[in-house]
Short mmCIF file of all heavy atoms in Angstrom, two decimals:
data_model
loop_
_atom_site.label_atom_id
_atom_site.label_comp_id
_atom_site.label_asym_id
_atom_site.label_seq_id
_atom_site.Cartn_x
_atom_site.Cartn_y
_atom_site.Cartn_z
N GLU A 1 96.98 96.66 111.31
CA GLU A 1 97.43 98.00 111.67
C GLU A 1 97.88 98.77 110.42
O GLU A 1 97.47 99.90 110.20
CB GLU A 1 98.56 97.88 112.69
CG GLU A 1 99.15 99.18 113.11
CD GLU A 1 100.32 98.98 114.09
OE1 GLU A 1 100.21 98.13 114.98
OE2 GLU A 1 101.31 99.67 113.91
N GLU A 2 98.74 98.15 109.63
CA GLU A 2 99.25 98.81 108.44
C GLU A 2 98.14 98.99 107.40
O GLU A 2 98.10 99.98 106.68
CB GLU A 2 100.42 98.01 107.85
CG GLU A 2 101.39 98.85 107.06
CD GLU A 2 102.06 99.96 107.87
OE1 GLU A 2 102.27 99.84 109.08
OE2 GLU A 2 102.38 100.99 107.25
N CYS A 3 97.23 98.04 107.33
CA CYS A 3 96.10 98.15 106.39
C CYS A 3 95.23 99.34 106.76
O CYS A 3 94.74 100.06 105.89
CB CYS A 3 95.27 96.88 106.41
SG CYS A 3 96.07 95.52 105.58
N ALA A 4 95.01 99.57 108.05
CA ALA A 4 94.20 100.71 108.49
C ALA A 4 94.88 102.01 108.09
O ALA A 4 94.23 102.97 107.67
CB ALA A 4 93.99 100.65 109.99
N ARG A 5 96.21 102.06 108.18
CA ARG A 5 96.95 103.26 107.78
C ARG A 5 96.79 103.55 106.30
O ARG A 5 96.78 104.70 105.88
CB ARG A 5 98.44 103.09 108.10
CG ARG A 5 98.76 103.47 109.48
CD ARG A 5 100.26 103.72 109.61
NE ARG A 5 100.56 103.57 111.01
CZ ARG A 5 101.25 102.59 111.55
NH1 ARG A 5 101.79 101.68 110.79
NH2 ARG A 5 101.44 102.51 112.83
N LEU A 6 96.69 102.50 105.49
CA LEU A 6 96.53 102.70 104.05
C LEU A 6 95.28 103.51 103.77
O LEU A 6 95.29 104.41 102.94
CB LEU A 6 96.45 101.35 103.33
CG LEU A 6 96.27 101.42 101.82
CD1 LEU A 6 97.53 101.96 101.16
CD2 LEU A 6 95.91 100.08 101.27
N GLY A 7 94.21 103.21 104.49
CA GLY A 7 92.97 103.95 104.31
C GLY A 7 93.08 105.40 104.73
O GLY A 7 92.29 106.25 104.32
N GLU A 8 94.07 105.72 105.54
CA GLU A 8 94.27 107.09 106.01
C GLU A 8 95.27 107.86 105.14
O GLU A 8 95.39 109.06 105.26
CB GLU A 8 94.77 107.07 107.45
CG GLU A 8 93.76 106.47 108.41
CD GLU A 8 94.37 106.18 109.78
OE1 GLU A 8 95.56 106.44 109.97
OE2 GLU A 8 93.63 105.68 110.63
N ASP A 9 95.99 107.15 104.28
CA ASP A 9 96.99 107.76 103.40
C ASP A 9 96.29 108.72 102.44
O ASP A 9 95.43 108.32 101.65
CB ASP A 9 97.72 106.67 102.62
CG ASP A 9 98.85 107.19 101.76
OD1 ASP A 9 98.69 108.27 101.15
OD2 ASP A 9 99.89 106.54 101.69
N PHE A 10 96.64 110.00 102.51
CA PHE A 10 95.94 111.03 101.73
C PHE A 10 95.95 110.74 100.24
O PHE A 10 94.94 110.90 99.56
CB PHE A 10 96.54 112.41 101.99
CG PHE A 10 95.88 113.49 101.19
CD1 PHE A 10 94.62 113.96 101.53
CD2 PHE A 10 96.50 114.01 100.07
CE1 PHE A 10 93.99 114.94 100.79
CE2 PHE A 10 95.88 115.00 99.31
CZ PHE A 10 94.63 115.46 99.68
N THR A 11 97.07 110.29 99.71
CA THR A 11 97.17 110.08 98.26
C THR A 11 96.31 108.90 97.81
O THR A 11 95.85 108.88 96.67
CB THR A 11 98.62 109.83 97.83
OG1 THR A 11 99.13 108.70 98.53
CG2 THR A 11 99.49 111.04 98.09
N LEU A 12 96.05 107.93 98.68
CA LEU A 12 95.24 106.77 98.31
C LEU A 12 93.80 106.86 98.77
O LEU A 12 92.93 106.22 98.20
CB LEU A 12 95.87 105.50 98.87
CG LEU A 12 97.22 105.12 98.27
CD1 LEU A 12 97.77 103.90 98.95
CD2 LEU A 12 97.08 104.89 96.78
N ARG A 13 93.55 107.64 99.80
CA ARG A 13 92.21 107.73 100.38
C ARG A 13 91.14 108.01 99.33
O ARG A 13 90.04 107.46 99.38
CB ARG A 13 92.18 108.80 101.47
CG ARG A 13 90.90 108.84 102.24
CD ARG A 13 90.94 109.83 103.35
NE ARG A 13 92.19 110.56 103.42
CZ ARG A 13 92.39 111.63 104.14
NH1 ARG A 13 91.42 112.12 104.85
NH2 ARG A 13 93.55 112.23 104.17
N GLN A 14 91.48 108.83 98.36
CA GLN A 14 90.50 109.19 97.33
C GLN A 14 90.14 108.02 96.42
O GLN A 14 89.13 108.05 95.73
CB GLN A 14 91.02 110.35 96.50
CG GLN A 14 92.32 110.05 95.77
CD GLN A 14 92.96 111.29 95.21
OE1 GLN A 14 92.34 112.34 95.13
NE2 GLN A 14 94.21 111.18 94.82
N HIS A 15 90.96 106.96 96.42
CA HIS A 15 90.71 105.80 95.56
C HIS A 15 90.10 104.61 96.31
O HIS A 15 89.67 103.65 95.70
CB HIS A 15 92.02 105.34 94.91
CG HIS A 15 92.70 106.41 94.14
ND1 HIS A 15 92.10 107.10 93.10
CD2 HIS A 15 93.94 106.93 94.25
CE1 HIS A 15 92.94 107.99 92.61
NE2 HIS A 15 94.06 107.90 93.30
N ILE A 16 90.08 104.68 97.65
CA ILE A 16 89.60 103.56 98.46
C ILE A 16 88.17 103.84 98.90
O ILE A 16 87.87 104.88 99.46
CB ILE A 16 90.52 103.36 99.69
CG1 ILE A 16 91.92 102.97 99.21
CG2 ILE A 16 89.94 102.32 100.63
CD1 ILE A 16 92.94 102.88 100.33
N LEU A 17 87.28 102.87 98.63
CA LEU A 17 85.86 103.03 98.96
C LEU A 17 85.54 102.58 100.38
O LEU A 17 84.65 103.13 101.01
CB LEU A 17 85.00 102.24 97.97
CG LEU A 17 85.14 102.67 96.51
CD1 LEU A 17 84.39 101.72 95.60
CD2 LEU A 17 84.66 104.09 96.34
N GLU A 18 86.23 101.55 100.85
CA GLU A 18 86.04 101.04 102.21
C GLU A 18 87.40 100.71 102.79
O GLU A 18 88.32 100.39 102.06
CB GLU A 18 85.20 99.76 102.19
CG GLU A 18 83.78 99.95 101.71
CD GLU A 18 83.01 98.64 101.63
OE1 GLU A 18 83.54 97.59 102.06
OE2 GLU A 18 81.88 98.67 101.14
N LYS A 19 87.51 100.75 104.10
CA LYS A 19 88.82 100.48 104.69
C LYS A 19 89.22 99.03 104.43
O LYS A 19 88.37 98.14 104.36
CB LYS A 19 88.84 100.87 106.16
CG LYS A 19 88.29 99.98 107.13
CD LYS A 19 88.36 100.63 108.51
CE LYS A 19 88.55 99.53 109.53
NZ LYS A 19 88.47 99.95 110.88
N PRO A 20 90.52 98.80 104.24
CA PRO A 20 91.02 97.46 103.94
C PRO A 20 90.64 96.46 105.04
O PRO A 20 90.59 96.81 106.22
CB PRO A 20 92.54 97.65 103.89
CG PRO A 20 92.72 99.09 103.56
CD PRO A 20 91.59 99.79 104.23
N GLU A 21 90.38 95.23 104.62
CA GLU A 21 89.99 94.18 105.56
C GLU A 21 90.93 92.98 105.39
O GLU A 21 91.10 92.47 104.28
CB GLU A 21 88.55 93.75 105.27
CG GLU A 21 88.06 92.64 106.14
CD GLU A 21 86.65 92.20 105.77
OE1 GLU A 21 86.08 92.72 104.81
OE2 GLU A 21 86.15 91.32 106.47
N VAL A 22 91.54 92.56 106.48
CA VAL A 22 92.38 91.36 106.46
C VAL A 22 91.45 90.16 106.60
O VAL A 22 90.77 90.01 107.61
CB VAL A 22 93.43 91.38 107.60
CG1 VAL A 22 94.25 90.11 107.59
CG2 VAL A 22 94.33 92.60 107.47
N LEU A 23 91.42 89.31 105.56
CA LEU A 23 90.52 88.16 105.55
C LEU A 23 91.14 86.94 106.23
O LEU A 23 90.41 86.04 106.62
CB LEU A 23 90.12 87.83 104.12
CG LEU A 23 89.42 88.97 103.36
CD1 LEU A 23 89.15 88.56 101.93
CD2 LEU A 23 88.16 89.39 104.07
N GLY A 24 92.46 86.92 106.33
CA GLY A 24 93.12 85.83 107.03
C GLY A 24 94.29 85.25 106.25
O GLY A 24 94.65 85.72 105.18
N ILE A 25 94.87 84.20 106.82
CA ILE A 25 96.01 83.53 106.18
C ILE A 25 95.48 82.55 105.15
O ILE A 25 94.67 81.69 105.46
CB ILE A 25 96.87 82.81 107.23
CG1 ILE A 25 97.48 83.84 108.20
CG2 ILE A 25 97.96 81.98 106.55
CD1 ILE A 25 98.25 83.24 109.34
N GLU A 26 95.96 82.69 103.93
CA GLU A 26 95.53 81.82 102.84
C GLU A 26 96.45 80.62 102.69
O GLU A 26 96.02 79.53 102.33
CB GLU A 26 95.48 82.62 101.55
CG GLU A 26 94.93 81.84 100.39
CD GLU A 26 94.69 82.73 99.20
OE1 GLU A 26 93.85 83.62 99.29
OE2 GLU A 26 95.36 82.52 98.18
N ASN A 27 97.74 80.83 102.91
CA ASN A 27 98.71 79.75 102.75
C ASN A 27 99.85 79.96 103.75
O ASN A 27 100.30 81.08 103.95
CB ASN A 27 99.25 79.74 101.32
CG ASN A 27 100.10 78.53 101.03
OD1 ASN A 27 100.27 77.65 101.87
ND2 ASN A 27 100.64 78.47 99.83
N PHE A 28 100.29 78.87 104.34
CA PHE A 28 101.36 78.91 105.33
C PHE A 28 102.31 77.77 104.99
O PHE A 28 101.92 76.60 105.02
CB PHE A 28 100.74 78.70 106.73
CG PHE A 28 101.61 79.11 107.86
CD1 PHE A 28 101.29 80.19 108.64
CD2 PHE A 28 102.75 78.39 108.17
CE1 PHE A 28 102.07 80.56 109.70
CE2 PHE A 28 103.55 78.76 109.23
CZ PHE A 28 103.21 79.83 110.00
N SER A 29 103.56 78.09 104.64
CA SER A 29 104.51 77.04 104.27
C SER A 29 105.91 77.43 104.74
O SER A 29 106.11 78.50 105.31
CB SER A 29 104.52 76.85 102.75
OG SER A 29 105.11 77.96 102.11
N ALA A 30 106.87 76.55 104.46
CA ALA A 30 108.26 76.82 104.83
C ALA A 30 108.81 78.00 104.04
O ALA A 30 109.75 78.67 104.49
CB ALA A 30 109.11 75.58 104.59
N VAL A 31 108.23 78.28 102.91
CA VAL A 31 108.68 79.38 102.04
C VAL A 31 108.16 80.72 102.53
O VAL A 31 108.85 81.72 102.47
CB VAL A 31 108.25 79.13 100.58
CG1 VAL A 31 108.64 80.29 99.69
CG2 VAL A 31 108.83 77.84 100.08
N GLY A 32 106.94 80.76 103.06
CA GLY A 32 106.37 82.02 103.51
C GLY A 32 104.90 81.91 103.86
O GLY A 32 104.34 80.81 103.91
N ILE A 33 104.30 83.05 104.06
CA ILE A 33 102.89 83.14 104.43
C ILE A 33 102.19 84.02 103.40
O ILE A 33 102.71 85.07 103.02
CB ILE A 33 102.72 83.76 105.83
CG1 ILE A 33 103.38 82.89 106.88
CG2 ILE A 33 101.25 83.98 106.16
CD1 ILE A 33 103.41 83.52 108.25
N VAL A 34 101.01 83.61 102.98
CA VAL A 34 100.18 84.41 102.09
C VAL A 34 98.97 84.88 102.89
O VAL A 34 98.22 84.07 103.42
CB VAL A 34 99.72 83.61 100.85
CG1 VAL A 34 98.79 84.46 99.99
CG2 VAL A 34 100.92 83.13 100.05
N VAL A 35 98.83 86.20 103.00
CA VAL A 35 97.72 86.79 103.74
C VAL A 35 96.77 87.43 102.74
O VAL A 35 97.19 88.21 101.88
CB VAL A 35 98.22 87.85 104.75
CG1 VAL A 35 97.05 88.49 105.48
CG2 VAL A 35 99.21 87.23 105.73
N ARG A 36 95.49 87.11 102.84
CA ARG A 36 94.48 87.67 101.94
C ARG A 36 93.93 88.95 102.54
O ARG A 36 93.47 88.97 103.68
CB ARG A 36 93.36 86.67 101.71
CG ARG A 36 92.20 87.27 101.01
CD ARG A 36 91.83 86.78 99.68
NE ARG A 36 92.61 85.76 99.06
CZ ARG A 36 92.61 85.60 97.75
NH1 ARG A 36 91.94 86.43 96.99
NH2 ARG A 36 93.30 84.66 97.19
N ILE A 37 94.00 90.04 101.75
CA ILE A 37 93.50 91.35 102.17
C ILE A 37 92.55 91.85 101.08
O ILE A 37 92.85 91.75 99.89
CB ILE A 37 94.66 92.35 102.35
CG1 ILE A 37 95.62 91.85 103.42
CG2 ILE A 37 94.13 93.75 102.69
CD1 ILE A 37 96.91 92.63 103.50
N SER A 38 91.43 92.39 101.49
CA SER A 38 90.44 92.91 100.55
C SER A 38 90.35 94.43 100.70
O SER A 38 90.24 94.94 101.81
CB SER A 38 89.08 92.28 100.83
OG SER A 38 88.10 92.83 99.99
N VAL A 39 90.41 95.13 99.56
CA VAL A 39 90.29 96.58 99.54
C VAL A 39 89.39 96.96 98.38
O VAL A 39 89.68 96.63 97.23
CB VAL A 39 91.66 97.28 99.35
CG1 VAL A 39 91.51 98.79 99.41
CG2 VAL A 39 92.68 96.81 100.35
N ARG A 40 88.29 97.62 98.66
CA ARG A 40 87.40 98.10 97.59
C ARG A 40 87.89 99.45 97.11
O ARG A 40 88.12 100.35 97.90
CB ARG A 40 85.97 98.20 98.09
CG ARG A 40 85.38 96.82 98.37
CD ARG A 40 83.90 96.82 98.47
NE ARG A 40 83.34 97.30 97.21
CZ ARG A 40 82.21 98.00 97.14
NH1 ARG A 40 81.52 98.27 98.21
NH2 ARG A 40 81.76 98.41 95.98
N THR A 41 88.07 99.57 95.80
CA THR A 41 88.59 100.80 95.21
C THR A 41 87.68 101.27 94.09
O THR A 41 86.81 100.54 93.63
CB THR A 41 90.00 100.58 94.62
OG1 THR A 41 89.89 99.74 93.47
CG2 THR A 41 90.95 99.99 95.63
N HIS A 42 87.93 102.48 93.62
CA HIS A 42 87.26 102.97 92.42
C HIS A 42 87.77 102.16 91.23
O HIS A 42 88.88 101.62 91.27
CB HIS A 42 87.56 104.45 92.20
CG HIS A 42 86.86 105.34 93.17
ND1 HIS A 42 85.51 105.59 93.10
CD2 HIS A 42 87.31 106.03 94.24
CE1 HIS A 42 85.16 106.40 94.09
NE2 HIS A 42 86.24 106.68 94.80
N PRO A 43 86.99 102.07 90.16
CA PRO A 43 87.42 101.33 88.97
C PRO A 43 88.77 101.82 88.47
O PRO A 43 89.08 103.01 88.51
CB PRO A 43 86.32 101.64 87.95
CG PRO A 43 85.12 101.95 88.78
CD PRO A 43 85.66 102.64 90.01
N LEU A 44 89.57 100.90 88.01
CA LEU A 44 90.89 101.13 87.41
C LEU A 44 91.94 101.62 88.41
O LEU A 44 93.03 102.03 88.00
CB LEU A 44 90.80 102.09 86.22
CG LEU A 44 89.83 101.66 85.11
CD1 LEU A 44 89.77 102.73 84.02
CD2 LEU A 44 90.24 100.32 84.52
N LYS A 45 91.64 101.60 89.69
CA LYS A 45 92.61 102.03 90.71
C LYS A 45 93.14 100.86 91.52
O LYS A 45 94.00 101.03 92.38
CB LYS A 45 91.98 103.07 91.65
CG LYS A 45 91.54 104.33 90.94
CD LYS A 45 92.72 105.02 90.28
CE LYS A 45 92.31 106.26 89.54
NZ LYS A 45 93.41 106.89 88.85
N GLN A 46 92.64 99.63 91.25
CA GLN A 46 93.00 98.47 92.04
C GLN A 46 94.51 98.20 92.04
O GLN A 46 95.10 97.96 93.08
CB GLN A 46 92.29 97.19 91.54
CG GLN A 46 90.80 97.27 91.52
CD GLN A 46 90.24 97.71 90.18
OE1 GLN A 46 90.80 98.54 89.48
NE2 GLN A 46 89.08 97.16 89.82
N ALA A 47 95.12 98.23 90.87
CA ALA A 47 96.54 97.89 90.75
C ALA A 47 97.41 98.86 91.54
O ALA A 47 98.31 98.45 92.27
CB ALA A 47 96.97 97.85 89.29
N GLY A 48 97.16 100.15 91.41
CA GLY A 48 97.96 101.14 92.13
C GLY A 48 97.79 101.02 93.63
O GLY A 48 98.77 101.11 94.39
N VAL A 49 96.57 100.81 94.09
CA VAL A 49 96.32 100.66 95.53
C VAL A 49 96.99 99.38 96.03
O VAL A 49 97.61 99.36 97.09
CB VAL A 49 94.80 100.65 95.83
CG1 VAL A 49 94.52 100.25 97.26
CG2 VAL A 49 94.21 102.03 95.54
N ALA A 50 96.88 98.29 95.26
CA ALA A 50 97.50 97.02 95.65
C ALA A 50 99.02 97.15 95.76
O ALA A 50 99.63 96.68 96.72
CB ALA A 50 97.14 95.92 94.67
N ARG A 51 99.63 97.82 94.78
CA ARG A 51 101.10 98.03 94.82
C ARG A 51 101.50 98.81 96.06
O ARG A 51 102.46 98.47 96.75
CB ARG A 51 101.57 98.77 93.57
CG ARG A 51 101.88 97.87 92.41
CD ARG A 51 102.61 98.62 91.29
NE ARG A 51 101.89 99.80 90.82
CZ ARG A 51 100.93 99.77 89.90
NH1 ARG A 51 100.58 98.63 89.34
NH2 ARG A 51 100.33 100.87 89.53
N GLU A 52 100.76 99.87 96.35
CA GLU A 52 101.10 100.71 97.50
C GLU A 52 100.89 99.94 98.81
O GLU A 52 101.69 100.05 99.74
CB GLU A 52 100.28 102.00 97.49
CG GLU A 52 100.59 102.93 98.63
CD GLU A 52 102.03 103.40 98.70
OE1 GLU A 52 102.78 103.30 97.70
OE2 GLU A 52 102.43 103.89 99.78
N LEU A 53 99.83 99.16 98.89
CA LEU A 53 99.60 98.36 100.09
C LEU A 53 100.75 97.38 100.29
O LEU A 53 101.28 97.26 101.40
CB LEU A 53 98.27 97.60 99.98
CG LEU A 53 97.98 96.62 101.12
CD1 LEU A 53 97.92 97.34 102.46
CD2 LEU A 53 96.70 95.87 100.86
N ARG A 54 101.15 96.67 99.24
CA ARG A 54 102.27 95.73 99.37
C ARG A 54 103.56 96.45 99.77
O ARG A 54 104.32 95.96 100.60
CB ARG A 54 102.47 94.97 98.06
CG ARG A 54 101.40 93.92 97.82
CD ARG A 54 101.75 93.00 96.67
NE ARG A 54 101.81 93.71 95.40
CZ ARG A 54 100.79 93.82 94.57
NH1 ARG A 54 99.63 93.28 94.85
NH2 ARG A 54 100.93 94.47 93.43
N ARG A 55 103.80 97.63 99.19
CA ARG A 55 105.01 98.39 99.53
C ARG A 55 105.01 98.76 101.00
O ARG A 55 105.99 98.57 101.71
CB ARG A 55 105.11 99.65 98.66
CG ARG A 55 106.42 100.42 98.85
CD ARG A 55 106.37 101.77 98.14
NE ARG A 55 105.46 102.69 98.79
CZ ARG A 55 105.73 103.35 99.94
NH1 ARG A 55 106.88 103.16 100.55
NH2 ARG A 55 104.85 104.17 100.45
N GLN A 56 103.87 99.28 101.49
CA GLN A 56 103.79 99.70 102.88
C GLN A 56 103.90 98.50 103.84
O GLN A 56 104.56 98.59 104.87
CB GLN A 56 102.48 100.44 103.14
CG GLN A 56 102.46 101.82 102.51
CD GLN A 56 101.21 102.60 102.84
OE1 GLN A 56 100.48 102.28 103.77
NE2 GLN A 56 100.93 103.63 102.05
N LEU A 57 103.27 97.39 103.48
CA LEU A 57 103.37 96.19 104.33
C LEU A 57 104.79 95.66 104.37
O LEU A 57 105.30 95.28 105.43
CB LEU A 57 102.41 95.11 103.83
CG LEU A 57 100.94 95.39 104.04
CD1 LEU A 57 100.09 94.34 103.36
CD2 LEU A 57 100.60 95.46 105.52
N ARG A 58 105.46 95.64 103.22
CA ARG A 58 106.84 95.18 103.19
C ARG A 58 107.74 96.08 104.05
O ARG A 58 108.54 95.59 104.84
CB ARG A 58 107.37 95.17 101.75
CG ARG A 58 108.80 94.65 101.68
CD ARG A 58 109.40 94.83 100.30
NE ARG A 58 110.68 94.18 100.19
CZ ARG A 58 111.80 94.61 100.77
NH1 ARG A 58 111.79 95.68 101.52
NH2 ARG A 58 112.93 93.97 100.61
N ASN A 59 107.57 97.39 103.91
CA ASN A 59 108.37 98.32 104.71
C ASN A 59 108.15 98.11 106.20
O ASN A 59 109.08 98.17 107.00
CB ASN A 59 108.06 99.77 104.33
CG ASN A 59 108.60 100.13 102.96
OD1 ASN A 59 109.44 99.43 102.39
ND2 ASN A 59 108.11 101.22 102.40
N LYS A 60 106.90 97.86 106.59
CA LYS A 60 106.58 97.63 108.00
C LYS A 60 107.25 96.35 108.50
O LYS A 60 107.83 96.33 109.58
CB LYS A 60 105.06 97.56 108.19
CG LYS A 60 104.63 97.29 109.60
CD LYS A 60 105.00 98.42 110.53
CE LYS A 60 104.42 98.19 111.90
NZ LYS A 60 104.85 99.19 112.86
N LEU A 61 107.17 95.28 107.73
CA LEU A 61 107.80 94.02 108.13
C LEU A 61 109.31 94.17 108.26
O LEU A 61 109.90 93.71 109.24
CB LEU A 61 107.46 92.91 107.13
CG LEU A 61 105.99 92.47 107.11
CD1 LEU A 61 105.73 91.55 105.93
CD2 LEU A 61 105.61 91.80 108.42
N VAL A 62 109.93 94.84 107.30
CA VAL A 62 111.37 95.06 107.35
C VAL A 62 111.74 95.91 108.57
O VAL A 62 112.70 95.61 109.28
CB VAL A 62 111.88 95.71 106.04
CG1 VAL A 62 113.31 96.19 106.17
CG2 VAL A 62 111.75 94.71 104.89
N SER A 63 110.96 96.93 108.87
CA SER A 63 111.25 97.79 110.02
C SER A 63 111.10 97.03 111.34
O SER A 63 111.71 97.38 112.34
CB SER A 63 110.36 99.04 110.03
OG SER A 63 109.05 98.72 110.43
N GLU A 64 110.30 95.95 111.33
CA GLU A 64 110.13 95.12 112.52
C GLU A 64 111.15 94.00 112.59
O GLU A 64 111.11 93.15 113.48
CB GLU A 64 108.71 94.52 112.54
CG GLU A 64 107.61 95.54 112.68
CD GLU A 64 107.59 96.20 114.06
OE1 GLU A 64 107.93 95.53 115.05
OE2 GLU A 64 107.23 97.38 114.14
N GLY A 65 112.10 93.99 111.62
CA GLY A 65 113.16 92.99 111.63
C GLY A 65 112.81 91.67 110.96
O GLY A 65 113.50 90.68 111.12
N ILE A 66 111.73 91.65 110.19
CA ILE A 66 111.31 90.44 109.50
C ILE A 66 111.91 90.47 108.10
O ILE A 66 111.64 91.39 107.32
CB ILE A 66 109.78 90.33 109.44
CG1 ILE A 66 109.24 90.27 110.87
CG2 ILE A 66 109.34 89.13 108.62
CD1 ILE A 66 107.74 90.39 110.98
N GLU A 67 112.71 89.47 107.79
CA GLU A 67 113.42 89.43 106.52
C GLU A 67 112.47 89.04 105.39
O GLU A 67 111.71 88.08 105.51
CB GLU A 67 114.57 88.42 106.59
CG GLU A 67 115.40 88.35 105.35
CD GLU A 67 116.53 87.35 105.47
OE1 GLU A 67 116.74 86.80 106.56
OE2 GLU A 67 117.19 87.13 104.45
N ILE A 68 112.52 89.78 104.29
CA ILE A 68 111.71 89.50 103.11
C ILE A 68 112.67 89.12 101.99
O ILE A 68 113.46 89.95 101.54
CB ILE A 68 110.88 90.72 102.69
CG1 ILE A 68 110.03 91.26 103.83
CG2 ILE A 68 110.03 90.40 101.48
CD1 ILE A 68 108.94 90.34 104.30
N LYS A 69 112.58 87.87 101.55
CA LYS A 69 113.44 87.43 100.45
C LYS A 69 112.68 87.53 99.15
O LYS A 69 111.49 87.20 99.10
CB LYS A 69 113.88 85.98 100.67
CG LYS A 69 114.77 85.82 101.89
CD LYS A 69 115.22 84.40 102.04
CE LYS A 69 116.11 84.27 103.26
NZ LYS A 69 116.57 82.91 103.47
N PRO A 70 113.35 87.97 98.08
CA PRO A 70 112.67 88.05 96.79
C PRO A 70 112.33 86.65 96.30
O PRO A 70 113.02 85.68 96.58
CB PRO A 70 113.70 88.71 95.87
CG PRO A 70 114.98 88.74 96.61
CD PRO A 70 114.71 88.43 98.05
N THR A 71 111.23 86.54 95.56
CA THR A 71 110.84 85.25 94.99
C THR A 71 111.25 85.19 93.55
O THR A 71 111.46 86.20 92.89
CB THR A 71 109.30 85.06 95.09
OG1 THR A 71 108.68 86.13 94.39
CG2 THR A 71 108.84 85.05 96.53
N GLY A 72 111.34 83.97 93.04
CA GLY A 72 111.62 83.79 91.61
C GLY A 72 113.02 83.63 91.26
O GLY A 72 114.04 83.79 91.53
#
C-alpha cells in the first residue's frame, strides 16, 4: 500500500520509471524483518528514491503502532 503511494508522490513520480514492487520477505529474525522492494528509477536517482521510500514506510509503521528501534 505504502509502496503504491510512493509512485503517486508528485516529487518522486518524475524519478520513478515503474511502480514499486514488493518482492517479499528476505530475512525474518528476532531482531526484525527485511523486506525486499524493487523500484526502477532514472539514473542517479536511486538513493534519493530509496531514502524517501524508507522514510514513508517507517512513518506508516509508526502510525500503525509498530515500534521501530534504531540499529547499531
Side-chain angles (χ1 to χ4, degrees):
E1 178 182 318
E2 206 61 30
C3 286
R5 274 198 202 111
L6 179 69
E8 297 168 0
D9 184 321
F10 179 75
T11 58
L12 293 177
R13 187 176 2 167
Q14 60 192 346
H15 304 303
I16 296 174
L17 299 173
E18 295 177 6
K19 80 184 212 188
E21 178 183 2
V22 178
L23 301 176
I25 296 175
E26 185 170 296
N27 189 2
F28 197 112
S29 70
V31 177
I33 298 173
V34 177
V35 178
R36 170 116 358 203
I37 300 170
S38 176
V39 183
R40 292 197 59 213
T41 69
H42 287 287
L44 304 177
K45 299 299 179 183
Q46 302 94 323
V49 170
R51 273 192 304 275
E52 181 60 18
L53 175 60
R54 286 191 296 267
R55 186 189 70 76
Q56 289 184 18
L57 290 173
R58 182 188 188 288
N59 289 345
K60 178 65 173 175
L61 291 171
V62 169
S63 75
E64 295 290 327
I66 299 171
E67 183 179 353
I68 306 294
K69 294 182 180 180
T71 58

